[in-house]
Amino acid sequence: MSWTDERVETLKKMWGEGQSASQIAKELGGVTRNAVIGKVHRLGLSNRTTTGAAKPDAKPKVVKAEPKPKAAPKVEAAPKPSAPVTDVVTTAPPPRSAARRAIIPAGQPLPPQPSANEISPEALAKVSEVEKKAKKISLMELTERTCKWPVGDPATDDFWFCGLPVKAGKPYCEAHVGVAFQPMSARRDRRR
């Protein structure tokens, strides 16, 4: 669809009469409501009559769009003090450790964690050995190559991530993959 002079004139006429963009699109055919709106804005026809919702007998109010002048770069002047400022009270932010202690858990239930009877004793032994060797890194130190296994309560200072090298294609190191990704049949067998 192309905007011929005839179609543009029809659009201008119908828009000026207060027709909706959907009505104009239907009348023109082969054009969407959004295309009509876009053309209206490109033509600068955005001034429309609007009716006041407060009084049914109120006259329509014409809103005219002013052409936008090109904005000059803004230069902000330094504010001039109106009066001398005295008795300014400032408070220092709380120490970092106090802010950490102030964290309140969201109260959402944690995702189901495998219980000790669902994890093989070999995997548990491997995890406890690995956690002794873990790098104990923070969230900001995690990368694609570091194990993202969380250890501890995130609301405490004792929270950390494993940080050992990950197993290919997994987010965890080999020991934590053994705990996180267990075959379903093996988990069912241990419950019995």
Side-chain angles (χ1 to χ4, degrees):
M1 196 294 297
S2 64
W3 287 103
T4 62
D5 291 339
E6 182 182 311
R7 289 171 71 91
V8 171
E9 287 306 314
T10 304
L11 178 138
K12 286 179 180 180
K13 179 180 168 265
M14 291 179 76
W15 186 259
E17 293 171 354
Q19 300 284 332
S20 71
S22 297
Q23 291 168 328
I24 297 170
K26 190 181 241 182
E27 176 69 28
L28 292 174
V31 65
T32 65
R33 169 188 167 275
N34 287 342
V36 169
I37 292 170
K39 189 64 174 177
V40 163
H41 286 288
R42 286 190 299 277
L43 292 171
L45 302 176
S46 57
N47 57 337
R48 293 283 299 250
T49 58
T50 59
T51 58
K55 298 178 186 175
D57 60 338
K59 292 183 181 180
K61 181 180 175 184
V62 177
V63 179
K64 295 184 180 178
E66 297 285 327
K68 294 182 182 178
K70 293 191 177 184
K74 293 183 181 180
V75 179
E76 293 185 24
K80 295 179 182 176
S82 58
V85 179
T86 58
D87 297 329
V88 175
V89 179
T90 59
T91 58
R96 195 106 163 100
S97 59
R100 286 284 296 175
R101 278 188 241 116
I103 295 174
I104 299 170
Q108 297 295 321
L110 293 173
Q113 301 292 318
S115 62
N117 64 348
E118 293 178 325
I119 303 170
S120 69
E122 301 85 34
L124 281 175
K126 204 175 202 181
V127 166
S128 64
E129 284 301 313
V130 165
E131 288 183 358
K132 290 176 188 172
K133 300 179 212 170
K135 292 185 179 179
K136 299 184 180 182
I137 62 174
S138 71
L139 176 68
M140 298 306 291
E141 297 170 304
L142 288 176
T143 68
E144 292 176 4
R145 297 183 182 122
T146 57
C147 177
K148 293 154 190 70
W149 189 267
V151 178
D153 182 357
T156 66
D157 289 331
D158 297 333
F159 180 72
W160 47 274
F161 294 90
C162 174
L164 292 175
V166 294
K167 188 172 180 181
K170 301 288 183 188
Y172 307 122
C173 65
E174 188 176 343
H176 287 124
V177 164
V179 176
F181 302 100
Q182 294 190 3
M184 195 55 129
S185 60
R187 289 175 62 186
R188 285 188 192 128
D189 293 343
R190 278 196 293 278
R191 284 189 201 160
R192 293 181 188 164

